Amino acid sequence: MTQAEEIKQLKATIDKLEKENHQLVYRNLQLSEQLCMWYELRQRVDWLKQEMTNQQRIQQRADLINDAELLALMELRLEQNPALLTPEFGGPQLAELLGVSQARLNRLFHHTPLYKSADDYLLYLRMLRGLQLLREHPEYGIASVSEEAGFNSVRTFQRRMQEAIGITPVEFRMMVEKNR
C-alpha cells in the first residue's frame, strides 16, 4: 500500500470517526434534554403530591373552620364545577365535597338565615342556573334547560320556579324576549 493510499484510508477513518463523534454528541444532547425534562417532571410531581397532602390536611380541619369560611369554600367548589348540580347531588355529596361531616353542614345551614338546609341551597343554585339558561339560550327547550340546571323533571322545574318567583319558565322566557 502506498503512502497516498494510507493517507486516503486514514482520512476516511478520521471522517468516519468524526461522524460517529457527532452522532454521539447529538445523542448525549438528546439524553441530557430528556434528563432535564424528567427532572422537571419529577419536581412537578413532588409539588403536586405536597399540594394534595396540604389539601387533605385542610379538609381534615374543615370541620373547625367558621361558617363564613365554609360558605366561601362551598361557593368556590360549586362555582368551579357547576356540573355537580345533578339531581342526585344533595347534602351528603356536598358535605363530602367540602370535606366536612353532614352534621357540620347542617349546623352551617342552621346558622344561615337564607337557606334552611343544604338541599335548599342547592335548589337555589339550580334555580339560578335555570334562569341563566333561559335568559342566555332562547334556543334551548324548557326540558333541556331543566335537565342542564339539574332538575329531575320539567314539572319539578316549573313548580319550583313558580314557587320561587311566581311565574313559569315559559312566562319568564316570554318576559325576557319582550325586554330584548
Side-chain angles (χ1 to χ4, degrees), residues 133-149:
L133 290 169
L134 286 169
R135 197 173 33 254
E136 293 176 3
H137 297 283
E139 71 276 8
Y140 287 8
I142 301 300
S144 297
V145 170
S146 171
E147 183 179 333
E148 194 168 328

Side-chain angles (χ1 to χ4, degrees), residues 131-168:
L131 293 172
Q132 177 187 15
L133 290 169
L134 286 169
R135 197 173 33 254
E136 293 176 3
H137 297 283
E139 71 276 8
Y140 287 8
I142 301 300
S144 297
V145 170
S146 171
E147 183 179 333
E148 194 168 328
F151 287 92
N152 283 326
S153 68
V154 174
R155 181 68 192 122
T156 302
F157 180 46
Q158 290 172 333
R159 188 180 73 250
R160 294 297 189 166
M161 193 166 167
Q162 181 79 39
E163 291 169 0
I165 63 173
I167 58 175
T168 66

Side-chain angles (χ1 to χ4, degrees), residues 25-68:
V25 168
Y26 180 73
R27 179 73 179 137
N28 282 342
L29 283 173
Q30 286 179 322
L31 290 173
S32 173
E33 288 175 2
Q34 287 176 346
L35 186 60
C36 285
M37 288 177 9
W38 180 84
Y39 180 73
E40 287 177 18
L41 182 62
R42 184 76 239 154
Q43 285 182 319
R44 289 179 185 170
V45 167
D46 290 343
W47 180 80
L48 285 172
K49 283 181 182 177
Q50 184 64 38
E51 284 298 308
M52 288 173 61
T53 302
N54 291 343
Q55 283 295 332
Q56 288 172 343
R57 280 192 212 117
I58 288 169
Q59 285 183 348
Q60 289 170 350
R61 292 188 306 240
D63 273 352
L64 304 176
I65 63 177
N66 69 36
D67 287 353

Side-chain angles (χ1 to χ4, degrees), residues 99-137:
V100 298
S101 64
Q102 183 72 40
R104 174 64 178 105
L105 190 62
N106 290 339
R107 278 195 315 275
L108 170 70
F109 286 103
H110 178 73
H111 297 295
T112 305
L114 294 175
Y115 314 104
K116 296 175 189 167
S117 66
D119 289 330
D120 279 352
Y121 177 71
L122 293 170
L123 174 62
Y124 166 76
L125 292 178
R126 288 183 182 108
M127 185 63 61
L128 285 179
R129 179 75 177 134
L131 293 172
Q132 177 187 15
L133 290 169
L134 286 169
R135 197 173 33 254
E136 293 176 3
H137 297 283

